[in-house]
Amino acid sequence: IHGWQDNCGSFDNLAPLLVKNGHSLFCIDLPGHGFSSHLPPGHKYYIWWDGVHYLRRIVKYFNWNNIVLIGHSLGGGIAFLYAGVYPSEIKKYVSIDIASPSVRDIKKSCDVLGYAIDKFLKYEDLSPNMVPCYPYEEMLDILVDAHNGSVTRSGCIILLKRGMRLSENQSGYLFT
């Protein structure tokens, strides 16, 4: 399970190594990430428990048990919660870059919540022609800068394979 604002391309380099060693993998794009569908307008993303819900649907659909969960960042937090809720179904839990979902001071959470909600609503109301659109190299630079050294430029190229799409008027790219 990938991290916040990433996609299953996060595992493009790791997956072949795991398969070579006899493991099978099922990588997903969480809703609103990569090539997955976005949630309907008005729904908020990135809530830890929602990820547990999505993961549960997948596990039940395939009737899996005794599974190994590998998560990066947000995906690691989702996997942590899932393993805590359904421990008898989990063989192993592997987390990259996170130990568990973050726990924040309630005062700090309240201080930023209003700003975050208003920003979410602002983006939700953007008309298609107002969504930021960039040439490929500029989009890549934005992503590299946003990761501030935690993801290499070549890693950002992998993430952009599923993390962008050509704009409707084909004047540049949009983040997915």
Side-chain angles (χ1 to χ4, degrees), residues 80-144:
F80 176 88
L81 290 171
Y82 190 94
V85 173
Y86 302 104
S88 64
E89 299 177 15
I90 306 304
K91 181 177 180 179
K92 291 181 186 174
Y93 156 67
V94 178
S95 184
I96 303 167
D97 287 341
I98 193 170
S100 69
S102 62
V103 178
R104 294 196 173 126
D105 176 89
I106 192 67
K107 171 83 170 90
K108 288 180 184 177
S109 295
C110 289
D111 288 345
V112 299
L113 184 58
Y115 170 79
I117 290 171
D118 289 342
K119 189 171 184 178
F120 174 79
L121 295 174
K122 176 184 169 190
Y123 285 132
E124 182 180 81
D125 289 337
L126 287 179
S127 62
N129 62 339
M130 295 296 293
V131 175
C133 182
Y134 308 96
Y136 177 82
E137 286 299 321
E138 186 177 346
M139 179 168 267
L140 178 58
D141 290 341
I142 290 169
L143 190 61
V144 169

Side-chain angles (χ1 to χ4, degrees), residues 62-77:
F62 288 106
N63 198 29
W64 288 334
N65 58 40
N66 203 29
I67 60 175
V68 176
L69 295 175
I70 301 175
H72 166 249
S73 191
L74 171 68

